[in-house]
Amino acid sequence: QVQLVESGGGLVQPGGSLRLSCAASRIIFSIYDMGWYRQAPGKQRELVASITSSGNTNYADSVKGRFTISRDNAKNTVSLQMNSLKPEDTAVYYCHARFTFSDNRQENGYWGQGTQVTVSS
């Protein structure tokens, strides 16, 4: 069925950059709201950034000005450019897709498998 596959995670030093990508299949990608979440060990999963089907973006305060979310509907991908990385950005990052109905009801949506981002010197 629906597949979301993240890539681009890895180990980076503080102040460095990484770009995460999520490739979606088996959905009409352009009509889905997309988001990046992260979960650090022992912590709740949190929304990092989102981009709606219409292109509106939102960011967690902790990453505002450092991270940029974008989507390429022609390639069925959503990306997260992460700059000025901090150790507290260390987490598993998950891609999420969710459809919003015309009455504003929202699906629970679909999750990728996650990709590890480690920021450490």
Side-chain angles (χ1 to χ4, degrees):
Q1 268 287 8
V2 175
Q3 284 191 296
L4 301 173
V5 181
E6 301 97 333
S7 62
L11 174 65
V12 66
Q13 293 185 0
S17 297
L18 283 174
R19 185 175 179 87
L20 306 182
S21 294
C22 171
S25 61
R26 299 173 187 169
I27 61 170
I28 305 174
F29 180 81
S30 62
I31 67 173
Y32 276 74
D33 300 326
M34 303 297 298
W36 285 98
Y37 291 72
R38 68 186 181 189
Q39 188 167 24
K43 300 186 69 176
Q44 298 272 52
R45 188 172 298 187
E46 64 174 343
L47 178 65
V48 176
S50 64
I51 182 166
T52 67
S53 61
S54 60
N56 295 321
T57 58
N58 191 52
Y59 299 91
D61 287 342
S62 59
V63 308
K64 197 167 297 182
R66 299 188 297 121
F67 291 10
T68 302
I69 190 171
S70 61
R71 66 190 298 157
D72 187 339
N73 289 340
K75 297 180 179 179
N76 283 12
T77 59
V78 60
S79 298
L80 185 68
Q81 178 66 46
M82 305 186 295
N83 299 326
S84 302
L85 283 162
K86 305 174 180 180
E88 49 263 46
D89 296 319
T90 296
V92 177
Y93 284 70
Y94 297 91
C95 181
H96 184 251
R98 184 178 64 186
F99 180 73
T100 300
F101 294 91
S102 58
D103 62 358
N104 290 324
R105 289 186 303 112
Q106 295 177 316
E107 291 183 322
N108 288 333
Y110 308 98
W111 292 97
Q113 83 289 346
T115 186
Q116 177 71 48
V117 171
T118 302
V119 185
S120 176
S121 58

